[in-house]
Amino acid sequence: MSAFMHRFPLMIIGGSVVIGIALLAILAPWIAPYDPNNIDVSVILMPPSWQHWCGTDTLGRDIFSRMLYGARVSLAVGFVAVGISLILGLILGAVAGFFGGRIDAMLMRMTDMVLCFPTFFIILAVIAFLDPSIWNIMIVIGLTSWMGIARLVRAEFLSLAQREFVLSAQSLGVSPIRLMWRYLLPNAMGPVLVSAILGIAGAVLLESGLSFLGLGVQPPDASWGNILTEGKDNIQIAWWLSAFPGMAILITVLGYNLLGEGLRDYFDPKLNQ
């Protein structure tokens, strides 16, 4: 175990941060000292204290409790959005890489066309025509972030297509569908997993940005982004409204990035020789 930690410290550190934040989010109803939407006018804008560890907001709501519930929103958006993009990317990339030819050219040109548009502005445009709800955010982020996974899966399939085990399976008459999902895809999942982990960090940032702009999770529901919005309006008199959710976003994104980099090292064959 110590040798593993010495070889892959980023994965251990990042994984510990990710697991810790996930546990806090899951256990939020039992950990949170207050109801996140409970209004108490007697403690409006109270600074951090033993009573309210992260202070209170302009309605007297406990920031620590709201951040715990906000973690549930951010992680849910990250996992669901990346799940949608992963499914789309795997299917399109696998089909393009396996069949090649005109199918590959058509799918990759479509991918290139989607990549030409700034993702954040596409999301803003779509959200503007939809109700700003958590489910709409998940779906829109997932539908606009599959391109990198598709290109990665295609490249892996092209690399694996000439391997001996693939040629042997083809000579035995294995069907194309079974060949793709039984033989090629499991061998391509290492880089795809790394990309998915890094994608969760990006989705958390996107959700926070949308909520900060008022296009994401709507009050009174808690989100790190909408807590930051309130902090922006009171930055000179209530620094804790910006500092604590900002630190939560930073630590979460950093944890997923470290985990992704650690997994990349783990799947690197040169490091495992």
Side-chain angles (χ1 to χ4, degrees):
M1 183 64 181
S2 59
F4 183 85
M5 294 179 63
H6 179 72
R7 290 178 62 191
F8 306 106
L10 294 181
M11 186 164 64
I12 299 299
I13 297 172
S16 300
V17 171
V18 168
I19 292 173
I21 293 174
L23 287 175
L24 288 175
I26 293 171
L27 300 175
W30 296 276
I31 297 176
Y34 300 93
D35 184 323
N37 297 324
N38 182 56
I39 297 175
D40 185 355
V41 295
S42 65
V43 293
I44 287 177
L45 291 181
M46 175 182 286
S49 62
W50 287 111
Q51 183 181 0
H52 297 279
W53 296 348
C54 296
T56 62
D57 62 9
T58 54
L59 295 177
R61 296 173 298 189
D62 183 66
I63 296 299
F64 179 69
S65 300
R66 291 182 63 77
M67 284 179 54
L68 288 175
Y69 279 85
R72 307 182 108 193
V73 171
S74 296
L75 295 184
V77 169
F79 280 102
V80 174
V82 169
I84 295 172
S85 65
L86 190 61
I87 293 172
L88 290 174
L90 284 174
I91 294 174
L92 296 176
V95 171
F98 184 81
F99 292 103
R102 292 183 177 178
I103 296 177
D104 179 26
M106 180 184 68
L107 291 176
M108 286 302 101
R109 296 299 76 76
M110 180 183 72
T111 302
D112 293 338
M113 182 179 66
V114 178
L115 280 171
C116 290
F117 298 97
T119 302
F120 190 75
F121 292 106
I122 293 177
I123 295 173
L124 286 179
V126 174
I127 291 294
F129 293 98
L130 300 174
D131 293 331
S133 71
I134 186 67
W135 290 106
N136 287 338
I137 293 174
M138 293 176 182
I139 294 171
V140 172
I141 293 177
L143 293 178
T144 54
S145 56
W146 54 267
M147 297 79 71
I149 293 177
R151 292 166 69 94
L152 180 60
V153 173
R154 171 186 176 269
E156 290 294 317
F157 269 50
L158 290 174
S159 173
L160 293 168
Q162 302 304 316
R163 299 285 181 89
E164 291 183 0
F165 71 93
V166 176
L167 298 176
S168 298
Q170 288 177 327
S171 66
L172 293 174
V174 177
S175 66
I177 299 297
R178 180 174 173 79
L179 187 61
M180 276 197 297
W181 305 111
R182 176 67 178 83
Y183 294 91
L184 290 173
L185 188 59
N187 288 280
M189 283 307 295
V192 173
L193 180 60
V194 173
S195 180
I197 293 295
L198 296 175
I200 294 176
V204 170
L205 277 177
L206 271 175
E207 183 277 324
S208 299
L210 290 170
S211 296
F212 179 77
L213 295 174
L215 298 173
V217 178
Q218 298 299 298
D221 293 331
S223 166
W224 292 341
N226 60 30
I227 298 175
L228 276 174
T229 300
E230 193 171 1
K232 170 183 66 70
D233 298 330
N234 300 276
I235 187 65
Q236 294 184 349
I237 59 174
W239 57 267
W240 55 91
L241 289 177
S242 300
F244 291 116
M247 287 170 52
I249 295 171
L250 172 65
I251 293 171
T252 301
V253 172
L254 181 61
Y256 277 103
N257 283 336
L258 290 176
L259 178 59
E261 292 296 329
L263 286 172
R264 179 176 297 165
D265 293 341
Y266 178 78
F267 288 118
D268 189 342
K270 295 179 181 179
L271 296 177
N272 289 314
Q273 290 178 352

